[in-house]
Amino acid sequence: DNIRFDSQAEARRYGELKLLQRAKKISELQLQVPFELMAYSEDERRAPTVGHYVADFVYRDANNKLIIEDVKGFRTPLYRWKKKHLEIQYGIEIKEVRA
């Protein structure tokens, strides 16, 4: 598809997901989707953005459930913090695919 990936593992996973989408096992495949990470104050009226998490892939499974997927060779401390923050803020677990 003329797309540059950060790793061969990510490119390989994209190929797998494209096949799943053609077979109608997943839908709405997106790449490099940014999610805002916010810090809520006690009054919860202010929610400044403290960073972003960029998902390698986002799609819907056969049950229409939103899946956030990240291809990981190594889990850095910053990635672990962002993963935890996103999962708490959005209530969605990141599916990790090992490189």
Side-chain angles (χ1 to χ4, degrees):
D1 290 342
N2 241 1
I3 301 170
R4 298 206 93 181
F5 291 95
D6 289 343
S7 69
Q8 289 180 343
E10 195 175 321
R12 185 174 46 251
R13 183 61 182 154
Y14 174 70
E16 294 167 356
L17 291 171
K18 288 287 286 188
L19 288 173
L20 289 171
Q21 184 167 255
R22 272 189 232 134
K24 301 198 185 304
K25 298 201 183 268
I26 68 167
S27 62
E28 301 177 33
L29 178 60
Q30 300 174 64
L31 288 70
Q32 301 299 309
V33 178
F35 290 86
E36 282 188 309
L37 301 176
M38 298 180 187
Y40 291 91
S41 64
E42 287 182 16
D43 64 10
E44 295 210 20
R45 287 183 291 180
R46 297 185 341 240
T49 299
V50 294
H52 289 86
Y53 168 80
V54 180
D56 290 336
F57 305 106
V58 175
Y59 56 90
R60 294 204 175 269
D61 68 10
N63 297 317
N64 205 34
K65 179 181 175 188
L66 186 68
I67 306 295
I68 298 173
E69 193 172 285
D70 204 308
V71 178
K72 279 286 163 234
F74 180 73
R75 296 172 72 222
T76 65
L78 180 58
Y79 165 76
R80 287 194 301 266
W81 176 83
K82 286 183 175 187
K83 177 182 188 293
K84 187 175 188 177
H85 191 129
L86 181 134
E87 290 177 344
I88 291 168
Q89 181 177 327
Y90 290 92
I92 301 171
E93 186 176 336
I94 295 173
K95 178 181 177 184
E96 291 181 7
V97 177
R98 295 291 173 189

